[in-house]
Amino acid sequence: MKLASLKDGSRDGQLAVVSRDLKHAVFTQGITRLQQALDDWDFAAPQLQDLSDALNAGRAAQAFAFDPAQCMAPLPRAYQWADGSAYLNHVELVRKARGADIPQSFFTDPLMYQGASDHMLGARDAIEAASEDWGIDFEAEVAVVTGDVPMGTTADAALEHIRLVMLANDVSLRHLIPPELAKGFGFFQSKPASGFSPVAVTPDELGTAWKGGRLHLDMRVHWNGQLVGSANAGPEMRFHFGQLIAHVAKTRVLAAGSIVGSGTVSSQDRARGYSCIAELRALEMIEHGEARTAFMHFGDSVRIDMLDAQGKSVFGAIEQKVVQAGAA
């Protein structure tokens, strides 16, 4: 099934079930918010599945046309947003560009940072920044939403706690990252609100594309209308989502409604392009000794999407425009 949170003037939106073709939706009865469903998934999921089956069969009463522009993030605010860096090609390029090797631990222990989760952006919400000098960048990622995950959960067991899958734009302010990391205390100001796809889907909705905790579909990224990336999210994901979740759960429990991200989808095949500008700039540094491509400007747009084997959008597209904060 596919789920969305539609704008209704509240902080958390109104939960809706969305048809497989993303053309129609229907509001749920009794279960009004996605977090409510996640809190009692065993009770809520069968009801939502029945409604999804009826909607896809054309039998849902009070169904209406689905409009992605009315979507908040599937979880407009979440208990936790932990983002990994599971694609070693991305890590290797960025570090090589600054003359650094990958530590051996990176091959066995996932990188992870904890981002802000109190304000998630919907798929059509603007990316706000006060200055272009901050180095505004998009990062196309896959993300999962968990149920309750006990501390010490193994990687294999963690896969059973994945409730939903969605796309993410983990916005980065690249020029703020070096001074923050130099303090030895990680990201903070350099990681503003992230954007998410209009809908989140259950893993079974993905069919054979969901295999071994990885999503084997192309991450299609358009920057200002030009296709710049089409890396497949599955083959080169070093750590699958079970491993990423287990990494987070090593020292803590995860509450239902926690979000775990894959990190920037990346491929060694240069013909596949890039899922963030920093990776292109790293290649330019390696090949030319300097970065030649600027980061995003006010007015720039990014579109992030995934298509199934029939060429149809799975999650709906993230379509965001960069605007100056506070501009009228």
Side-chain angles (χ1 to χ4, degrees):
M1 57 188 166
K2 300 188 177 188
L3 304 175
S5 295
L6 301 184
K7 297 175 181 178
D8 66 351
S10 71
R11 291 180 183 269
D12 299 301
Q14 171 70 51
L15 179 62
V17 174
V18 181
S19 62
R20 187 165 289 114
D21 60 8
L22 303 180
K23 292 183 177 180
H24 299 93
V26 62
F27 286 126
T28 56
Q29 300 296 321
I31 306 168
T32 59
R33 295 177 293 105
L34 180 54
Q35 184 61 55
Q36 182 183 353
L38 292 164
D39 285 340
D40 197 0
W41 189 252
D42 289 343
F43 171 78
Q47 299 180 55
L48 297 175
Q49 187 63 63
D50 288 345
L51 190 55
S52 176
D53 293 342
L55 179 63
N56 284 302
R59 296 183 284 101
Q62 299 180 323
F64 54 89
F66 176 64
D67 181 5
Q70 295 303 310
C71 288
M72 306 174 76
L75 274 176
R77 49 182 176 168
Y79 285 113
Q80 184 159 221
W81 162 227
D83 197 22
S85 189
Y87 297 86
L88 290 188
N89 181 67
H90 171 76
V91 178
E92 183 178 22
L93 283 176
V94 172
R95 292 181 67 88
K96 186 176 180 180
R98 64 173 189 260
D101 295 326
I102 296 183
Q104 284 301 306
S105 62
F106 282 30
F107 293 92
T108 58
D109 195 32
L111 288 169
M112 188 77 66
Y113 86 90
Q114 188 161 0
S117 61
D118 56 332
H119 174 60
M120 303 300 203
L121 299 178
R124 301 294 189 272
D125 291 345
I127 299 168
E128 295 187 79
S131 172
E132 293 179 346
D133 294 338
W134 287 350
I136 307 162
D137 198 0
F138 52 82
E139 290 191 56
E141 305 186 5
V142 181
V144 298
V145 182
T146 75
D148 291 307
V149 182
M151 184 170 67
T153 297
T154 65
D156 287 342
L159 291 174
E160 300 302 316
H161 296 289
I162 294 174
R163 300 289 180 254
L164 298 164
V165 184
M166 55 190 179
L167 303 184
N169 179 17
D170 177 40
V171 180
S172 291
L173 304 175
R174 299 294 184 184
H175 293 157
L176 300 186
I177 291 177
E180 285 204 311
L181 295 184
K183 296 178 180 179
F185 217 50
F187 301 125
F188 194 82
Q189 291 178 334
S190 52
K191 289 291 187 178
S194 298
F196 292 87
S197 53
V199 303
V201 312
T202 49
D204 59 356
E205 187 74 27
L206 299 167
T208 58
W210 180 256
K211 183 171 57 178
R214 298 174 174 89
L215 182 52
H216 294 261
L217 291 174
D218 291 350
M219 181 70 80
R220 294 172 57 83
V221 183
H222 289 79
W223 180 15
N224 292 333
Q226 179 182 355
L227 180 66
V228 297
S230 60
N232 192 293
E236 296 183 56
M237 188 179 186
R238 176 77 179 193
F239 303 102
H240 62 66
F241 275 107
Q243 292 170 302
L244 295 178
I245 294 168
H247 180 82
V248 181
K250 180 177 180 178
T251 61
R252 68 184 74 179
V253 299
L254 279 72
S258 293
I259 302 173
V260 177
S262 67
T264 306
V265 175
S266 184
S267 174
Q268 290 183 324
D269 182 355
R270 298 292 176 254
R272 290 280 187 165
Y274 53 91
S275 299
C276 70
I277 303 170
E279 194 166 298
L280 172 62
R281 287 168 58 90
L283 285 168
E284 292 172 341
M285 284 289 294
I286 295 167
E287 295 174 5
H288 308 295
E290 62 178 356
R292 299 178 175 181
T293 302
F295 288 114
M296 300 181 84
H297 299 290
F298 297 136
D300 278 10
S301 63
V302 61
R303 188 178 196 274
I304 299 169
D305 199 4
M306 270 188 173
L307 307 181
D308 62 18
Q310 289 72 45
K312 297 179 180 179
S313 180
V314 178
F315 305 93
I318 298 172
E319 297 184 35
Q320 294 183 280
K321 187 175 182 178
V322 178
V323 301
Q324 187 167 19

